[in-house]
Amino acid sequence: ISNRSLTEQIMLIFYAGNKSQDSGIAEMEELPVPHNIKISNITCDSFKISWDMDSKSKDRITHYFIDLNKKENKNSNKFKHKDVPTKLVAKAVPLPMTVRGHWFLSPRTEYTVAVQTASKQVDGDYVVSEWSEIIEFCTADYSKVHLTQLLEKAEVIAGRMLKLSVFYRNQHKEYFDYIREHHGNAMQPSVKDNSGSHGSPISGKLEGIFFSCNTEFNTGKPPQDSPYGRYRFEIAAEKLFNPNTNLYFGDFYCMYTAYHYVILVIAPVGSPGDEFCKQRLPQLNIKDNKFLTCDEEDGVMVYHHAQDVILEVIYTDPVDLSLGTVAEITGHQLMSLSTANAKKDPSCKTCNISVGR
């Protein structure tokens, strides 16, 4: 090799090295960090996310990394190294970006979210920005669309209709004594507990009084057993359910058992409970539905209930004890049937829909 060619080679190596070094510096130039994150259009299983970022190096962004965690575990999935992709690697689409289907988001659940911008390199690795700030948001309840899906599933197993004549409510003797002494003989609506579907919009929000209406197949009368107490208030069906009330579907669930529960809401037309339900729940035709009907035959109101589901009926106004009777039942107190704050079986194919549990 001549001295000239050796010099040329050294110069080429030096040039190449400098070019490589310059290129490396350019590649490692910091990407803009997302800030002012905004969450919008929140549903029970999706949301839109957007943020602001500096324009410097913005054109190099090819992907976004999004780290989403339930609030109580917000640090459980944080990565120690900023160049390790997190749960979601999304192409850098125009913002806001809809996040749906990448996680089984649960309704009515608090989450934390943080974002990185990223640039994919020719070797497949990523250069990433620092993490954004962590923000919090809460997913929504089931919408009417989701509840209609639950309703359709419940209709499949409701079974044939049986006659009923009364609604009833079981409690301990002390409950009825308290109502007489402190509430002028009128049972008062209370906020529904968190039993049933996690996304139900009535849980923790709707105020009402729980009643049952199921009858025994062989007698046509209410069963003598109850999980809620040995004293029973019975009231003629027409006093709670009639053409002056509206009927709504509220929920469909089971508790790791073979039998299923359907929650219905009866609300006097125009009442606060009626207005609450009208915005959130599918309304049923009181004369023609698969669960609980009220119709007139020969001038008399006739009532039917579904045989193959256990109906829980919420009445949204106060009910005076003088409208019915209170008496002790003769059966057992079956606590295993209690639905107080009962958790829905998330694996049941009969009563779950394909959104977050």
Side-chain angles (χ1 to χ4, degrees):
I1 301 176
S2 67
N3 288 339
R4 183 179 177 183
S5 62
L6 180 60
T7 301
E8 287 177 346
Q9 288 187 43
I10 292 171
M11 289 180 66
L12 287 170
I13 292 170
F14 178 77
Y15 174 74
N18 282 348
K19 185 178 180 182
S20 176
Q21 188 177 11
D22 291 343
S23 176
I25 291 172
E27 286 180 5
M28 293 308 294
E29 184 179 343
E30 290 188 1
L31 292 170
V33 179
H35 61 274
N36 194 25
I37 296 175
K38 303 180 187 72
I39 303 291
S40 61
N41 296 81
I42 300 171
T43 72
C44 68
D45 64 345
S46 69
F47 62 93
K48 285 188 176 181
I49 185 169
S50 64
W51 57 81
D52 299 329
M53 51 189 167
D54 297 334
S55 57
K56 187 178 180 182
S57 300
K58 192 173 179 179
D59 57 344
R60 292 177 51 238
I61 297 172
T62 62
H63 292 78
Y64 304 135
F65 292 171
I66 300 177
D67 189 30
L68 182 78
N69 297 281
K70 286 187 178 180
K71 186 177 176 181
E72 59 269 28
N73 298 317
K74 62 183 178 182
N75 293 317
S76 63
N77 286 301
K78 268 282 172 263
F79 287 82
K80 294 180 180 179
H81 305 291
K82 72 172 189 176
D83 57 347
V84 178
T86 58
K87 287 182 179 177
L88 173 63
V89 179
K91 288 187 176 180
V93 297
L95 299 176
M97 179 177 70
T98 299
V99 177
R100 176 188 292 113
H102 299 90
W103 298 276
F104 287 107
L105 288 171
S106 296
R108 199 187 286 199
T109 303
E110 292 185 327
Y111 288 91
T112 63
V113 66
V115 188
Q116 289 176 312
T117 58
S119 176
K120 191 171 185 178
Q121 307 300 290
V122 292
D123 60 1
D125 288 338
Y126 290 92
V127 173
V128 297
S129 72
E130 297 293 338
W131 282 107
S132 70
E133 74 273 22
I134 297 173
I135 67 160
E136 301 176 358
F137 71 98
C138 186
T139 47
D141 297 332
Y142 284 156
S143 67
K144 276 189 179 180
V145 172
H146 298 116
L147 287 171
T148 299
Q149 293 175 21
L150 270 182
L151 165 62
E152 291 168 352
K153 278 180 161 282
E155 288 175 337
V156 172
I157 70 160
R160 69 189 184 103
M161 305 291 278
L162 301 177
K163 277 192 175 183
L164 70 106
S165 59
V166 299
F167 291 100
Y168 54 96
R169 174 174 172 80
N170 282 74
Q171 284 287 342
H172 299 286
K173 181 177 182 297
E174 291 76 13
Y175 168 82
F176 294 110
D177 291 341
Y178 185 87
I179 293 301
R180 294 185 185 100
E181 184 176 349
H182 297 281
H183 290 293
N185 217 45
M187 293 185 292
Q188 300 297 314
S190 59
V191 177
K192 183 195 170 297
D193 65 11
N194 289 315
S195 61
S197 299
H198 190 53
S200 174
I202 63 177
S203 293
K205 295 180 181 179
L206 176 68
E207 293 189 356
I209 305 169
F210 263 108
F211 285 91
S212 299
C213 65
N214 290 78
T215 58
E216 291 182 322
F217 178 77
N218 55 342
T219 66
K221 296 181 179 180
Q224 281 299 306
D225 299 324
S226 168
Y228 300 111
R230 295 191 58 81
Y231 282 77
R232 174 173 293 169
F233 171 74
E234 283 192 10
I235 183 170
E238 62 264 23
K239 292 184 178 179
L240 296 188
F241 188 33
N242 53 62
N244 295 318
T245 57
N246 283 327
L247 181 68
Y248 298 90
F249 173 83
D251 201 4
F252 177 45
Y253 70 100
C254 72
M255 302 178 296
Y256 303 90
T257 56
Y259 42 88
H260 281 79
Y261 295 83
V262 168
I263 297 180
L264 303 175
V265 183
I266 298 176
V269 173
S271 66
D274 188 35
E275 294 304 314
F276 177 95
C277 294
K278 195 170 293 183
Q279 304 299 321
R280 297 167 177 84
L281 305 180
Q283 186 171 350
L284 303 176
N285 183 334
I286 66 171
K287 295 182 179 181
D288 182 21
N289 67 81
K290 298 288 188 180
F291 311 108
L292 182 66
T293 60
C294 160
D295 205 358
E296 187 174 331
E297 295 180 10
D298 300 324
V300 178
M301 299 306 294
V302 178
Y303 295 86
H304 291 85
H305 71 87
Q307 172 185 340
D308 294 336
V309 292
I310 299 175
L311 296 179
E312 297 182 300
V313 179
I314 300 176
Y315 187 76
T316 62
D317 273 11
V319 177
D320 199 290
L321 294 178
S322 64
L323 296 175
T325 59
V326 177
E328 188 173 4
I329 61 174
T330 59
H332 301 287
Q333 189 171 333
L334 303 176
M335 295 306 295
S336 62
L337 292 179
S338 173
T339 61
N341 288 307
K343 299 303 179 186
K344 180 174 182 175
D345 178 2
S347 65
C348 178
K349 294 181 180 179
T350 301
C351 62
N352 281 294
I353 54 178
S354 58
V355 295
R357 302 293 183 249

